[in-house]
Amino acid sequence: MPALSPTMTAGNIGTWQKKAGDTISPGDVLVEIETDKAQMDFEFQEEGVLAKILKDSGEKDVAVGNPIAVMIEEGEDAAPFESFTLEDAGGEKAPPKEAPKEEASESSEPPETGAETAPPPSKGESKGESISESKPAALESESTGGRLQTSLDRESKISPLAKALALERGVPIKEVKGTGAGGRITKDDIEKFKPASASASPSAAASAAGAAYEDTPASSMRKTIANRLTQSMNQNPHYFVSATLSVSKLLKLRQALNASADGKYKLSVNDFLVKACAVALLKIPAVNSSWREKDGSAFIRQHNTVDVSVAVATPIGLMTPIVKGVEGLGLEKISSQIKDLGKRARDGKLKPEEYQGGTFTISNMGMNAAVERFTAVINPPQAGILAVGTTKKVAIPQETEEGTQIEWDDQIIVTGSFDHKVVDGAVGGEWIREFKKVIENPLELLL
């Protein structure tokens, strides 16, 4: 079992994409593995033949370093491995239970390393040796137990309308077989559902129909998010700075650029905001920093490049893929990367190095017209995150020769959350001022 993230100590075996006897080439997907971050494809990086699968699909909490399969070189005889067992491979160990002092978040590198991103997934072994990873990893909290859910059981396979109807009628979603595309549960499936215990007493049936809640076991990723954000609020002294920004000029510039794009790109407001963050961070580099502790000493690391983590809501939780080197990218390139990273984040196809790292985060809820403003939790070891609300039209009185007239201005409210260990209050305020200046004079982004 390879370590596919810094905090991974155990993984769940999903669907094997290869069967015993299949030839494997570098880059082939061998098996799906659920880590503490996401469901990921494990790509094998060597040539060989899959001689024996030691851990079947659905196996849960397989400790990192434990054998899951046997690979041999092409041309070798796989017959001797037909009766090969885990004991023959050296047995297996239980996953560690104690939590470490520091864990890496979904988008942050391990605090004790000096790298800008976490290392890529390790390679499996060949020549009859079990696929394993002996590199120590940080620990995660205890598992909820049970076997890995199949794709038909996952909540993401039910339509929002069907889920609302199921909750209203007290229908247990896990017992419903979906008839939609890819096993998706539809409204009709909920309406036609009949419990297996239909012959039970009327009182029992009434009790089931009147269920007031449904318990859903927390996934590994959800537990990691809970632990990391709780740790952030407890250990990082947050303070918040808000500002109202006029985006009327920015919207006109965006409209003009999109009109002349001939379909090559379509810029969003968020693309401009990400670029503006980079400009402000270069002017106020103290915010582009992080708090570090190593060997009993503490220090502040100031980053020379701007890697912006962009919050993306996915079916399994919040992910923060990173647009790297934003200070050297144009708006078209930023837009393209955000779209690509966002899609792959929602599909669970991000590589670890694409969401581990980052020097600053932006979380934009502007697509929700009801959210005027909000505050966000810092993503450690970063020292800042920007929360963006929706765009509102605001009446602005203007004095003219003909009297007072009303002009409408498009405005948004942004709130920066800063770690007071790294960024003093005056510095956070200065960063917000630089950000506001760039947004309200968007042509500076083109310089």
Side-chain angles (χ1 to χ4, degrees):
M1 172 65 71
L4 300 182
S5 77
T7 57
M8 178 179 171
T9 60
N12 305 328
I13 303 294
T15 303
W16 283 93
Q17 303 297 322
K18 300 290 183 180
K19 61 182 183 297
D22 285 353
T23 300
I24 311 296
S25 300
D28 284 354
V29 175
L30 184 62
V31 61
E32 294 178 359
I33 295 177
E34 183 188 11
T35 73
D36 56 345
K37 305 290 189 254
Q39 185 95 2
M40 302 178 65
D41 291 335
F42 175 46
E43 297 181 359
F44 203 63
Q45 299 301 319
E46 297 183 17
E47 294 181 345
V49 174
L50 180 60
K52 176 76 173 181
I53 293 176
L54 301 177
K55 287 290 186 179
D56 294 329
S57 297
E59 291 285 347
K60 196 172 181 68
D61 289 333
V62 180
V64 167
N66 277 356
I68 60 174
V70 178
M71 298 294 299
I72 60 175
E73 289 189 345
E74 191 170 359
E76 289 188 14
D77 185 11
F81 294 97
E82 290 181 1
S83 59
F84 197 82
T85 65
L86 278 172
E87 288 68 27
D88 296 327
E92 59 179 329
K93 62 181 180 179
K97 299 299 182 183
E98 294 182 2
K101 292 182 179 179
E102 295 186 13
E103 297 180 48
S105 68
E106 294 69 44
S107 67
S108 298
E109 62 188 284
E112 66 276 7
T113 65
E116 288 302 317
T117 57
S122 58
K123 298 180 180 180
E125 297 177 3
S126 59
K127 297 183 179 180
E129 296 183 356
S130 302
I131 302 171
S132 65
E133 172 60 59
S134 60
K135 182 178 178 181
L139 312 181
E140 66 172 335
S141 58
E142 293 188 11
S143 169
T144 56
R147 295 178 65 84
L148 180 66
Q149 290 179 306
T150 66
S151 59
L152 293 179
D153 293 327
R154 294 186 190 137
E155 186 176 354
S156 58
K157 286 295 185 179
I158 182 171
S159 68
L161 181 60
K163 182 178 179 181
L165 183 61
L167 292 175
E168 178 183 338
R169 297 189 177 185
V171 174
I173 296 175
K174 294 181 181 179
E175 296 182 14
V176 181
K177 184 176 181 180
T179 60
R184 188 178 182 85
I185 298 174
T186 66
K187 177 185 175 183
D188 288 341
D189 296 328
I190 299 297
E191 292 177 339
K192 295 177 182 178
F193 173 76
K194 294 182 179 180
S197 57
S199 59
S201 64
S203 59
S207 176
Y213 59 85
E214 177 184 355
D215 292 335
T216 302
S219 65
S220 296
M221 182 177 176
R222 176 54 54 187
K223 288 186 287 185
T224 298
I225 292 174
N227 291 336
R228 289 297 295 154
L229 296 185
T230 300
Q231 181 188 53
S232 178
M233 291 300 295
N234 289 340
Q235 298 183 7
N236 300 318
H238 286 55
Y239 71 91
F240 309 99
V241 182
S242 295
T244 300
L245 315 181
S246 171
V247 293
S248 295
K249 292 180 181 179
L250 186 150
L251 294 179
K252 291 179 181 178
L253 176 60
R254 169 178 174 261
Q255 183 181 22
L257 291 174
N258 285 339
S260 61
D262 293 328
K264 295 179 181 178
Y265 57 83
K266 186 176 182 181
L267 303 177
S268 69
V269 172
N270 204 48
D271 300 332
F272 287 86
L273 299 178
V274 170
K275 182 64 177 179
C277 282
V279 173
L281 288 168
L282 290 179
K283 292 183 178 180
I284 313 295
V287 179
N288 197 42
S289 303
S290 56
W291 180 267
R292 305 282 169 152
E293 294 182 7
K294 186 176 182 181
D295 299 329
S297 62
F299 57 94
I300 295 174
R301 176 177 296 169
Q302 184 170 299
H303 304 279
N304 296 323
T305 61
V306 179
D307 299 335
V308 179
S309 303
V310 181
V312 177
T314 75
I316 58 174
L318 185 70
M319 295 288 289
T320 48
I322 306 163
V323 182
K324 299 181 180 179
V326 178
E327 75 281 0
L329 300 178
L331 289 168
E332 180 181 357
K333 189 67 174 179
I334 292 172
S335 179
S336 174
Q337 288 196 23
I338 290 177
K339 288 181 175 66
D340 174 63
L341 290 168
K343 182 180 185 302
R344 289 192 289 117
R346 286 183 284 271
D347 293 340
K349 300 297 183 181
L350 286 179
K351 299 177 181 178
E353 59 267 28
E354 292 178 316
Y355 58 80
Q356 293 166 354
T359 62
F360 188 84
T361 298
I362 181 170
S363 180
N364 190 344
M365 280 206 265
M367 71 293 298
N368 187 335
V371 180
E372 184 177 82
R373 71 177 77 192
F374 69 102
T375 57
V377 180
I378 295 170
N379 191 9
Q382 297 174 10
I385 181 171
L386 185 70
V388 183
T390 193
T391 304
K392 296 284 188 181
K393 285 191 175 294
V394 179
I396 306 296
Q398 298 288 341
E399 296 296 333
T400 66
E401 294 180 355
E402 300 176 354
T404 302
Q405 296 186 352
I406 298 297
E407 293 186 0
W408 293 95
D409 185 35
D410 291 293
Q411 297 182 357
I412 59 174
I413 298 176
V414 298
T415 302
S417 305
F418 301 101
D419 182 356
H420 221 314
K421 299 196 308 291
V422 181
V423 183
D424 288 334
V427 177
E430 187 68 18
W431 186 87
I432 286 288
R433 183 169 68 176
E434 290 296 335
F435 182 78
K436 176 181 175 73
K437 177 183 175 183
V438 174
I439 291 297
E440 295 186 342
N441 298 279
L443 289 178
E444 290 189 17
L445 296 173
L446 305 179
L447 298 177

